[in-house]
Amino acid sequence: DTEVTQTPKHLVMGMTNKKSLKCEQHMGHRAMYWYKQKAKKPPELMFVYSYEKLSINESVPSRFSPECPNSSLLNLHLHALQPEDSALYLCASSTDRENTEAFFGQGTRLTVV
Amino acid sequence: GNSVTQMEGPVTLSEEAFLTINCTYTATGYPSLFWYVQYPGEGLQLLLKATKADDKGSNKGFEATYRKETTSFHLEKGSVQVSDSAVYFCALSFRTGNQFYFGTGTSLTVIP
């Protein structure tokens, strides 16, 4: 199994809603990532979890709250988002060995109305 | 700092044409280098990688060679197909910090 599974694939939410994005991998990877991608732009790193601990937070607004309940799961809790937060949210995972690639999920297309 | 620079797109080619997408990098240390491909509405898929100088990564007819002297990792394919239409991202990573640095992406359209 070399898949990173993200749910839901599409999400429309209002600015007062609370929602969560989910990500799951069963490759035994101990590093998991959240990226945000706007149209025609590269992915922008948001958070990195290493061994279930938050290791990198790229100055992301607090309306985005990550959570890593166990080594296979990664969540991104959303609250009071703005329309400019509409984007494709990508989850990825990798091993902690040298020279390793990241495996990406298909993404969640988020629209904030 | 660490960064990746890709050639500007979009690139439009006829089927069976030769493809080159340029990628250069700036890095403190010795990174691993990657090419990822993103088809419309999908996530990123690893296309190929190289982990040290002079390594050549290859997959599905695509190739790229890790050139330390020119800090480059150009993507090439001898004969493109319509199905190769996608956005291509060059990236680098270091083990320490688990960070990946992406280029801006190059959109490729192949016309029959």
Side-chain angles (χ1 to χ4, degrees):
Chain A
D1 183 1
T2 57
E3 278 194 359
V4 175
T5 303
Q6 289 187 244
T7 55
K9 289 195 181 340
H10 301 275
L11 177 62
V12 178
M13 61 184 291
M15 289 187 282
T16 58
N17 292 160
K18 287 184 181 181
K19 296 287 185 183
S20 297
L21 309 185
K22 298 185 183 304
C23 174
E24 189 168 3
Q25 57 87 15
H26 295 287
M27 294 178 277
H29 290 170
R30 304 314 295 267
M32 296 186 75
Y33 312 75
W34 280 116
Y35 284 87
K36 173 182 177 180
Q37 187 180 25
K38 302 285 271 185
K40 301 187 188 302
K41 297 290 186 184
E44 298 174 24
L45 183 65
M46 300 175 72
F47 303 103
V48 180
Y49 273 83
S50 180
Y51 288 85
E52 299 156 52
K53 293 195 185 321
L54 184 64
S55 61
I56 295 175
N57 176 343
E58 291 285 355
S59 302
V60 179
S62 60
R63 57 186 184 269
F64 295 91
S65 176
E67 178 196 20
C68 189
N70 61 55
S71 60
S72 299
L73 295 175
L74 186 66
N75 298 322
L76 186 63
H77 303 298
L78 314 172
H79 173 56
L81 294 193
Q82 303 298 310
E84 59 265 29
D85 296 320
S86 298
L88 181 67
Y89 288 83
L90 293 165
C91 175
S93 70
S94 69
T95 71
D96 65 340
R97 295 194 299 271
E98 290 188 12
N99 308 320
T100 184
E101 63 268 29
F103 291 77
F104 283 82
Q106 296 284 72
T108 294
R109 175 71 61 187
L110 174 68
T111 303
V112 181
V113 297
Chain B
N2 302 307
S3 66
V4 176
T5 302
Q6 280 182 244
M7 64 183 283
E8 291 287 328
V11 174
T12 302
L13 295 174
S14 297
E15 206 165 20
E16 299 184 3
F18 184 84
L19 169 71
T20 299
I21 301 178
N22 290 337
C23 170
T24 57
Y25 67 90
T26 302
T28 52
Y30 303 100
S32 295
L33 301 174
F34 308 87
W35 278 101
Y36 281 87
V37 59
Q38 187 174 33
Y39 298 100
E42 298 188 7
L44 277 69
Q45 300 175 26
L46 179 69
L47 183 58
L48 52 84
K49 72 176 185 180
T51 59
K52 61 184 187 296
D54 300 325
D55 267 3
K56 177 186 281 189
S58 61
N59 185 26
K60 299 181 182 178
F62 291 89
E63 292 182 341
T65 300
Y66 190 140
R67 300 285 187 202
K68 185 181 168 191
E69 64 276 11
T70 55
T71 62
S72 65
F73 193 54
H74 304 320
L75 183 68
E76 296 183 336
K77 187 175 185 184
S79 175
V80 293
Q81 305 301 311
V82 173
S83 57
D84 294 327
S85 299
V87 179
Y88 292 81
F89 292 97
C90 185
L92 66 83
S93 80
F94 296 92
R95 175 176 177 270
T96 305
N98 290 115
Q99 283 191 288
F100 288 80
Y101 298 84
F102 287 91
T104 52
T106 302
S107 175
L108 170 67
T109 300
V110 180
I111 54 176

